[in-house]
Amino acid sequence: MNTVRTSHALTTCAGLVLLGATIAACSSSKPTPTPAQTADTRQAAALWGDLQPVVSVKELMKYMIDPVADNIFNAVGSTVTSHGIVDVAPKSEEDWDKIRIGAVSLAEGAYLLKIRRPFTPPGDENNSTGPDAVELSPAQITAKVERDPVEWNARIEALRNVALEALDVVKRKDVNELWDVGENLDKACEACHRSYWYPGEGAEFYQKLNRRLEEFREQAPRGNTSAKPQKQ
């Protein structure tokens, strides 16, 4: 007698008329194929093909990610003019749509950074030469990503999460939270840049820069400060 275990008890699979069909159903050990296991699904996945990059990471940032991020950065702000302080904030549906375009483009575009591509165009070595170079070369960036791909993907997710945060703010049209979104976006961008692009621009770099500026001022020729201006 064949049995199957249910969530409540052991139920006997037996019958006089439907014995054969019941035993076949109870004793079958082959699982039903899940959608992911079907030939149609595998074929559909293959039809998507491989993604081929068109530009380098540096170009992707310059021509796509940075411009759409500005839709979020420039959504709110305050500018001091000769007429006083001018506040910028979304007021119309068109204003909110512009932020939405930036958020959607940024959320989707961030994942393009997961596609393996050169970090700079051919011949562009960043500012990576000389004893005081503050930027990494493309080869150095590539090596760093390959040593720790987890960090690279975490930086991408952080950027994407801010874009999703912006989308949520747009849905609620919360102007006050747009300030936080802009700050979070700036932090996500700078954290990635300081890790992979210009890690040399740390506190020590700026201390050295200040010392050089002081030395330059001391060595610069000074005019005769005691001389009185001549009358015309």
Side-chain angles (χ1 to χ4, degrees):
M1 181 179 295
N2 294 334
T3 61
V4 293
R5 184 177 298 274
T6 68
S7 59
H8 301 288
L10 291 176
T11 304
T12 302
C13 292
L16 296 176
V17 179
L18 302 177
L19 178 61
T22 307
I23 290 176
C26 293
S27 61
S28 176
S29 59
K30 186 177 180 180
T32 302
T34 62
Q37 296 172 327
T38 62
D40 291 341
T41 304
R42 288 194 298 269
Q43 183 180 6
L47 290 176
W48 289 101
D50 295 327
L51 296 175
Q52 298 296 329
V54 176
V55 295
S56 65
V57 171
K58 196 170 187 177
E59 293 167 297
L60 181 66
M61 297 295 298
K62 180 178 180 180
Y63 298 114
M64 180 179 176
I65 293 181
D66 280 355
V68 298
D70 284 342
N71 286 20
I72 300 173
F73 278 130
N74 300 333
V76 289
S78 297
T79 304
V80 179
T81 69
S82 58
H83 302 288
I85 298 177
V86 178
D87 293 325
V88 176
K91 298 179 178 63
S92 64
E93 284 298 325
E94 184 179 358
D95 293 337
W96 286 108
D97 279 343
K98 186 175 181 179
I99 303 171
R100 184 181 290 106
I101 290 171
V104 170
S105 302
L106 188 60
E108 296 288 359
Y111 269 14
L112 295 178
L113 293 168
K114 290 178 175 283
I115 302 172
R116 188 179 182 90
R117 64 180 74 227
F119 277 91
T120 62
D124 186 344
E125 291 295 317
N126 292 330
N127 184 18
S128 61
T129 59
D132 297 318
V134 295
E135 296 180 359
L136 297 182
S137 68
Q140 289 172 318
I141 299 174
T142 301
K144 184 171 184 177
V145 172
E146 290 178 345
R147 283 196 306 270
D148 189 1
V150 173
E151 181 191 353
W152 176 250
N153 282 284
R155 300 292 186 189
I156 294 171
E157 292 296 337
L159 179 61
R160 188 171 187 266
N161 286 340
V162 177
L164 296 178
E165 180 187 359
L167 272 178
D168 180 63
V169 170
V170 169
K171 290 178 182 178
R172 295 183 284 107
K173 295 183 178 179
D174 191 329
V175 175
N176 291 329
E177 283 198 26
L178 275 179
W179 290 92
D180 294 334
V181 171
E183 183 178 353
N184 293 340
L185 180 56
D186 182 64
K187 289 180 179 178
C189 292
E190 278 302 295
C192 189
H193 294 165
R194 286 191 178 278
S195 181
Y196 295 103
W197 186 7
Y198 40 81
E201 288 192 15
E204 184 178 351
F205 167 79
Y206 288 105
Q207 290 171 0
K208 184 183 295 185
L209 181 62
N210 286 333
R211 287 196 298 268
R212 287 184 176 180
L213 289 174
E214 291 296 332
E215 292 173 358
F216 176 78
R217 293 191 187 99
E218 292 175 357
Q219 296 172 0
R222 299 180 180 180
N224 187 1
T225 57
S226 61
K228 296 181 180 179
Q230 296 181 353
K231 293 182 180 180
Q232 300 295 329

